[in-house]
């Protein structure tokens, strides 16, 4: 009897616990459901001047139609807040240095680094300086954001997880979203200058010229077939730091992490090459990949001076509500990061007899302004950071020295509303003029119009430099401070390329120009150029009669044009007498010979072996220097100092200079065999066969919502994309890394948007219960051609007064 009673009690307890778990899960589910966006119905908005309709297709792509542009801004804010508010919040907080308020001490160091720039104060001043019409449109967008947030039955689910309430939006926040892109797109400039400064101090002039070439043989400029720049001779001896290998942990960082974060492609085909006679624009911007995706896909419809206007493309949620990339029906355009020289580090002289003062170059002594920046830290007392700001920018410490950070992003010209003018740009020339006036991180702007014209220029502020050489790519001191930038180029002084004879233009983050105008941009970390050359050659091979599908297909090219010569080097090394003298080396050679497809496909083994060799060789020769550079700045590296390092290594392996061979190797053959052995050891860990080391095993998608990292492992997949094995890599058009790559793919001909093609790695919504959360992801993985315009309307939300 007692046994039966105990069993009954145990059963009741188990049933009670099960019921509690079910009720808890049901509560969580209902809580999540309450934060889903409103998709249908009537929404009253007394501030509107007229009605606005928002229809969405099965993937949640909205068509926002109205008779007043300001009202459309309101509806845009409303729906973006309901789908993406947490993403928008992170962007404004990242720029302002306010993440620790959400995430606690783990975000404090990043907040301190970003708070140095005082972007919230700059944004507030920019709002005060706005023209009334701009201020009205921005405020209406802000009102829509806050009304959309307040309309949710439950606050966005992320705030439940971090146990805080969302903060309402203000006008300055939208400008902060743009400033967040300055960190994304120009955040390499400080560590790059520090790395180059260290290199200059630890190398002779001849060594520096060899290690930091101004161009590469891969470069494919817009105004010539190649860069006209002779290669510097290899000096007789290497610097003392050369060839000191890093340890295994640092080697992993060097070989994998720092080389996955360069990218964006765009290209234009003139009407003389297209089947329709109109230009074709293709664009894929490479950014960190996360859920939700960076971009918000949208169609805007409203009256204009000529009747009606349809804007099709991408917005950055939270930023001023204009199309960033897309088509206005007459002109289409796309961006890639320009990697120009937009920042100077200027050594600040200090003297004991002048406490609190600094002197920058040959200027007079000055007393920097001091600002007390209070950083809220979740769960801890506020932290007060003192920011000292000189006449040339805030002061920072690095390597025991003080520098003024003279960055374009600090200037009032860094941010403006001129992107709105693209809505009325009906010709290529009008679009090029608008681009040169835009306030955004300087981009390669490639555009084409419905008459078949194509062109390139820089969009964003270009600083004026008196001294047109590479002096300013190193930290400046009193001896060379005149090389720093001072003032701005006017739009008529911007470099342009218009309607080249080839009927094509392509940019991919490498050096854009061979001629004198290259000095107007400078070199702020150009890519090697292999990707640009491959895009250019792909476009040339298309011939004439090109349509949007042909143009789109170039972005899916994963051929290993860059790595093919490196594979041939490996074959030469291993086929030398006595080289393949171990079973592991013989297997390495066999796989190089039998599994090479010439592509970075997910199942490629030989590709991964070849790539591993190149980056392991980097570790052998640059790894020790990288360790020293990380002490100077966590983002500094030799690869950051110059992306042309593969060309430097290729020359050494071709010429075998004795003075550059590390002392631990008897000859260059031994160095290469030891590097092969490093790759074998790395890829054969835990008894794994070398033949199982596919590129997809290394290049597996890790695309997740930022909140996923704080969840238990069994819940993370709920906020993550599938762990697909991805084709593509850097140094080819199809750029792909685990959490970095093509944030969108677009091909469109202005006036023919119905035939446009688009896909992106995440859906429209940041909510995991939304049907739009991962809509389209599989198309992006597999490179399918999906229509740019939304499909049939499934949902309809009407805003009325």
């Amino acid at each position: 009897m007692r046994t039966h009673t105990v069993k009954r009690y145990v059963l009741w307890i188990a049933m009670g616990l099960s019921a509690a778990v079910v009720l808890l899960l049901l509560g969580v589910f209902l809580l999540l459901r309450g934060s889903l966006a409103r998709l249908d119905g009537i929404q009253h908005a007394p501030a509107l001047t007229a009605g606005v309709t928002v229809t969405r297709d099965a993937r949640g792509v909205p068509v926002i139609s109205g008779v007043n542009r300001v009202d459309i801004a309101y509806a845009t804010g409303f729906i973006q807040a309901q789908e993406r508010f947490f993403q928008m919040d992170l962007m404004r907080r990242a720029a302002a240095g306010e993440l620790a308020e959400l995430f606690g001490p783990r975000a404090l160091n990043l907040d301190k680094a970003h708070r140095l720039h005082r972007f919230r104060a700059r944004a507030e001043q920019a709002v005060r300086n706005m023209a009334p019409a701009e201020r009205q449109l921005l405020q209406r967008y802000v009102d829509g954001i806050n009304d959309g947030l307040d309309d949710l039955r439950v606050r966005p689910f992320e705030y439940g997880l971090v146990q805080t309430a969302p903060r309402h939006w203000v006008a300055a926040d939208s400008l902060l979203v743009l400033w967040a892109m300055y960190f994304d797109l120009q955040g390499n400039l400080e560590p790059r200058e520090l790395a180059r400064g260290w290199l200059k101090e630890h190398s002779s002039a001849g060594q520096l010229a060899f290690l930091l070439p101004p161009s590469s043989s891969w470069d494919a400029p817009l105004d010539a077939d190649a860069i006209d720049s002779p290669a510097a001779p290899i000096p007789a001896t290497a610097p003392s730091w050369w060839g000191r290998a890093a340890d295994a942990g640092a080697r992993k960082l060097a070989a994998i992490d720092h080389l996955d974060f360069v990218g964006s492609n765009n290209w234009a085909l003139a009407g003389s090459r297209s089947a329709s006679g109109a230009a074709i624009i293709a664009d894929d911007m490479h950014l960190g990949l996360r859920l939700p995706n960076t971009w918000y896909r949208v169609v805007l419809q409203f009256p204009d001076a000529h009747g009606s206007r349809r804007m099709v493309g991408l917005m950055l949620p939270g930023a001023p509500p204009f199309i960033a990339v897309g088509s206005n029906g007459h002109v289409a355009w796309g961006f890639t990061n320009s990697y120009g020289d937009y920042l100077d580090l200027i050594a600040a002289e200090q003297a004991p007899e002048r406490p609190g003062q600094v002197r920058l170059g040959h200027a007079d002594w000055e007393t920097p302004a001091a600002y007390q920046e209070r950083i809220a830290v979740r769960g801890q007392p506020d932290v007060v950071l003192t920011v000292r700001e000189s006449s040339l920018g805030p002061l920072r410490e690095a390597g025991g020295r003080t520098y003024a950070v003279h960055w374009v992003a600090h200037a009032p010209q860094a941010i403006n509303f001129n992107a709105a003018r693209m809505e009325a740009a009906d010709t290529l020339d009008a679009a090029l003029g608008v681009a040169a006036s835009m306030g955004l991180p300087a981009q390669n702007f490639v555009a084409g119009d419905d008459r078949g014209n194509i062109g390139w220029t820089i969009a964003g502020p270009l600083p004026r430099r008196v001294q047109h050489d590479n002096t300013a790519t190193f930290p400046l001191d009193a001896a060379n401070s005149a090389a720093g930038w001072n003032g701005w180029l006017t739009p008529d002084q911007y470099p342009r390329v218009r309607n080249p004879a080839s009927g094509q233009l392509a940019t991919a983050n490498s050096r854009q120009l061979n001629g004198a105008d290259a000095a107007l941009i400078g070199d702020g970390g150009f890519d090697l150029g292999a990707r640009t050359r491959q895009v250019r050659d792909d476009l040339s091979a298309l011939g004439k009669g090109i349509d949007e599908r042909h143009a789109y297909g170039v972005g899916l090219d994963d051929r290993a044009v860059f790595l093919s010569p490196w594979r041939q080097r490996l074959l030469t090394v291993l086929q030398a007498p006595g080289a393949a003298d171990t079973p592991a080396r013989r297997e390495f050679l066999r796989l190089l010979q039998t599994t090479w497809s010439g592509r970075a496909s997910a199942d490629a083994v030989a590709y991964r072996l070849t790539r591993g060799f190149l980056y392991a060789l980097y570790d052998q020769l640059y790894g020790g220097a990288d360790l020293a550079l990380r002490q100077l700045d966590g983002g500094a590296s030799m690869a950051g100092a110059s992306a042309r390092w593969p060309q430097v290594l290729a020359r050494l392996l071709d010429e075998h200079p004795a003075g550059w061979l590390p002392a631990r190797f008897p000859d260059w053959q031994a160095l290469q065999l030891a590097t092969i052995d490093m790759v074998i050891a790395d890829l054969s860990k835990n008894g794994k066969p070398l033949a199982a080391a596919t590129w997809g095993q290394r290049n597996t998608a890790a695309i997740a919502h930022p909140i996923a990292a704080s969840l238990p492992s069994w819940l993370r997949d709920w906020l993550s994309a599938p762990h697909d094995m991805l084709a593509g890599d850097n140094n080819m058009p199809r750029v792909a890394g685990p959490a970095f790559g093509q944030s969108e793919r677009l091909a469109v001909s202005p006036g023919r948007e119905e035939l446009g093609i688009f896909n992106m790695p995440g859906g429209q919504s940041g909510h995991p219960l939304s049907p739009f959360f991962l809509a389209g992801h599989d198309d992006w993985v597999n490179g399918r051609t999906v229509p740019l315009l939304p499909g049939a309307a499934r949902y309809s939300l009407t805003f009325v007064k």
Side-chain angles (χ1 to χ4, degrees):
M1 187 73 172
R2 193 174 300 162
T3 301
H4 289 300
T5 302
V6 170
K7 287 182 177 179
R8 192 161 44 247
Y9 286 151
V10 170
L11 180 61
W12 288 346
I13 292 171
M15 292 173 63
L17 288 174
S18 298
V21 169
V22 169
L23 289 173
L24 177 63
L25 292 175
L26 180 61
V28 170
F29 176 78
L30 292 175
L31 196 66
L32 287 168
R33 292 277 308 170
S35 59
L36 282 168
R38 181 190 297 273
L39 303 180
D40 287 300
I42 304 294
Q43 180 68 34
H44 291 275
L48 294 182
T49 61
V52 179
T53 300
V54 178
T55 61
R56 289 176 170 97
D57 69 355
R59 296 190 176 197
V61 181
V63 177
I64 308 176
S65 304
V67 298
N68 185 299
R69 187 64 182 85
V70 173
D71 291 341
I72 285 178
Y74 174 90
T76 302
F78 187 99
I79 65 172
Q80 287 181 351
Q82 294 210 329
E83 301 276 24
R84 300 284 194 94
F85 188 82
F86 189 71
Q87 173 197 10
M88 295 157 57
D89 192 12
L90 293 187
M91 292 281 282
R92 65 174 170 177
R93 288 177 180 273
E98 297 169 353
L99 289 168
E101 186 177 9
L102 279 183
F103 300 113
R106 59 182 168 167
L108 182 57
N109 287 339
L110 181 62
D111 276 359
K112 287 180 177 179
H114 286 192
R115 192 66 71 93
L116 177 76
H117 304 280
R118 302 182 60 251
F119 282 137
R120 180 165 290 284
R122 299 181 198 280
E124 290 168 350
Q125 182 61 49
V127 170
R128 288 192 288 270
N129 294 341
M130 275 183 169
E134 295 174 344
R135 184 72 173 85
Q136 180 193 24
L137 188 142
L138 180 59
Q139 187 57 52
R140 195 62 58 85
Y141 176 62
V142 169
D143 293 342
I145 291 172
N146 290 326
D147 286 353
L149 179 66
D150 291 342
D151 181 68
L152 294 172
R153 288 173 293 163
V154 178
R155 63 188 174 183
F157 76 95
E158 297 94 342
Y159 296 95
L161 294 175
V162 298
Q163 298 180 343
T164 190
R167 188 174 69 202
H168 271 160
W169 204 258
V170 297
D173 292 334
S174 288
L175 305 188
L176 284 169
V177 172
L178 289 179
W179 261 301
M181 296 306 293
Y182 269 95
F183 283 122
D184 273 358
L185 300 172
Q186 296 181 8
N188 69 304
L189 292 174
E190 279 188 70
R192 179 176 187 269
E193 291 221 355
L194 290 170
R196 291 170 71 89
W198 183 93
L199 186 58
K200 185 176 181 179
E201 292 179 353
H202 293 83
S203 309
S204 70
Q207 291 163 348
L208 198 67
F210 168 62
L211 290 167
L212 300 178
S215 63
S216 86
S217 59
W218 291 100
D219 278 317
L222 296 168
D223 58 346
D225 289 334
I227 300 293
D228 182 17
S229 178
I234 302 177
T237 59
S240 60
W241 54 264
W242 178 260
R244 297 181 181 177
D247 59 32
R251 185 160 61 243
K252 180 179 179 182
L253 284 173
I256 294 176
D257 294 339
H258 70 64
L259 294 168
D260 278 346
F261 294 94
V262 174
S264 287
N265 306 319
N266 63 13
W267 50 94
L269 292 154
S272 60
R273 300 275 304 279
S274 73
S276 68
I280 302 175
I281 299 298
D283 184 83
D284 54 271
M285 295 177 284
H286 308 160
L287 296 168
L289 302 180
R290 54 186 177 266
L291 298 177
N293 191 44
T294 299
W295 307 107
Y296 189 79
R297 189 176 162 198
V298 67
V299 176
L300 307 179
Q301 297 183 152
F302 51 90
D304 71 358
H306 303 291
S308 64
R309 180 72 65 171
R310 180 176 67 178
M311 303 292 300
V312 181
L314 304 174
M315 284 183 167
L316 181 63
F322 309 117
I323 297 293
V325 165
S327 175
N328 67 14
H330 295 284
V331 175
W333 69 98
F335 290 140
T336 69
N337 200 19
S338 62
Y339 283 94
D341 187 10
Y342 309 127
L343 178 148
D344 293 331
L345 288 180
I346 302 171
E349 181 184 350
Q350 301 180 78
E353 66 274 15
R354 291 181 174 273
Q357 291 193 307
V358 298
R359 184 164 64 181
L360 305 173
H362 294 293
D364 293 334
W365 289 90
E366 62 176 279
T367 301
Y371 299 94
Q372 303 301 311
E373 293 287 321
R374 184 172 296 277
I375 303 175
V377 183
R378 182 168 173 251
Q380 292 191 4
D382 292 354
V383 172
V384 176
L385 176 72
T386 300
V387 175
R388 299 171 66 213
E389 187 158 336
S390 74
S391 58
L392 293 182
L395 302 177
R396 69 158 290 182
E397 307 292 325
R401 299 174 182 173
T402 301
Y403 296 97
V405 183
H406 194 206
W407 188 14
V408 166
H410 297 147
Q413 292 84 350
I415 298 294
N416 64 33
F417 253 48
N418 289 350
R421 299 177 185 175
M422 284 302 299
E423 295 180 353
D426 287 343
T427 66
L428 171 68
D429 290 336
L432 294 176
V434 171
S437 74
M438 287 181 181
L440 76 171
Q443 301 290 293
N444 290 308
F445 178 89
V446 167
D449 64 25
D450 52 2
R451 303 172 190 177
N453 300 300
I454 60 172
W456 162 89
T457 190
I458 295 294
L462 279 180
R464 183 190 305 278
R465 294 185 185 276
V466 176
Q467 193 168 321
H468 290 166
D469 58 20
N470 70 349
T471 302
T473 64
F474 302 91
L476 302 175
D477 55 25
N480 55 23
S481 60
W485 66 271
N486 185 17
W488 307 95
L489 297 183
T490 58
D492 62 298
Q493 295 172 322
Y494 274 47
R496 288 187 181 186
V497 176
R498 189 182 186 282
N499 286 335
S502 64
Q504 65 181 55
L505 292 167
T507 77
N509 313 116
S510 58
R511 181 169 162 175
Q512 303 94 336
L513 299 171
N514 177 55
D517 280 352
L520 300 178
I521 303 169
D523 184 349
F526 287 139
D527 196 20
L528 177 67
R531 183 160 40 90
T532 312
R533 178 170 288 273
Q534 192 165 338
V535 169
R536 184 191 71 178
D537 293 348
D538 284 352
L539 293 174
S540 297
L542 290 177
K544 294 187 176 183
I546 301 165
D547 63 20
E548 291 84 349
R549 286 176 175 264
H550 297 126
Y552 170 84
V554 171
L556 300 178
D557 182 6
D558 60 6
R559 290 178 302 123
V561 175
F562 166 71
L563 273 187
S564 290
W566 287 94
R567 171 182 174 263
Q568 189 57 52
R569 290 180 189 280
L570 282 171
L571 291 173
T572 301
V573 168
L574 287 169
Q575 289 171 340
D581 57 356
T582 68
R585 288 183 187 172
R586 286 193 290 274
E587 175 67 354
F588 194 101
L589 175 59
R590 183 189 72 81
L591 292 169
L592 280 177
Q593 293 171 324
T594 62
T595 68
W596 179 258
S597 66
R599 294 184 175 275
S601 55
D603 61 352
V605 175
Y607 180 87
R608 187 176 182 188
L609 300 184
T610 304
R611 187 187 196 274
F613 172 79
L614 173 59
Y615 295 159
L617 187 63
Y618 173 97
D619 297 326
Q620 293 270 35
L621 301 174
Y622 290 108
D626 274 359
L627 286 178
L629 289 173
R630 286 192 199 105
Q631 300 302 312
L632 192 63
D633 185 288
S637 70
M638 295 304 294
S642 174
R644 301 176 182 115
W645 62 267
Q647 179 160 297
V648 171
L649 298 189
R651 288 190 63 193
L652 293 174
L653 295 184
D654 286 341
E655 301 183 36
H656 292 178
W660 289 74
L661 179 68
R664 62 186 183 277
F665 300 108
D667 53 41
W668 287 93
Q669 173 79 351
L671 165 62
Q672 293 176 87
L673 288 173
T675 305
I676 290 169
D677 291 341
M678 285 172 56
V679 177
I680 292 170
D682 184 54
L683 298 182
S684 303
K685 290 175 184 175
N686 303 318
K688 294 179 181 177
L690 204 58
T694 64
W695 177 237
Q697 291 287 338
R698 153 69 175 84
N699 205 35
T700 300
I703 304 170
H705 191 290
I707 212 76
S710 63
L711 296 177
S713 57
W714 58 277
L715 273 178
R716 287 175 192 162
D717 284 350
W718 177 60
L719 286 174
S720 303
H723 301 296
D724 303 289
M725 294 186 182
L726 303 175
D729 193 10
N730 54 11
N731 290 315
M732 61 181 58
R734 189 171 189 166
V735 169
F740 183 87
Q742 295 169 318
S743 65
E744 49 79 33
R745 300 189 192 105
L746 167 72
V748 63
S749 188
R752 293 164 50 89
E753 289 77 19
E754 288 78 6
L755 299 176
I757 297 168
F758 181 82
N759 52 47
M760 66 184 190
Q764 290 287 97
S765 174
H767 198 299
L769 295 186
S770 169
F772 316 139
F773 182 57
L774 283 172
H777 172 79
D778 190 61
D779 295 322
W780 174 84
V781 170
N782 293 288
R784 298 190 188 104
T785 54
V786 176
L788 169 64
L789 291 181
R794 292 279 191 91
Y795 311 93
S796 181
L797 179 63
T798 300
F799 292 85
V800 298
K801 291 191 64 173

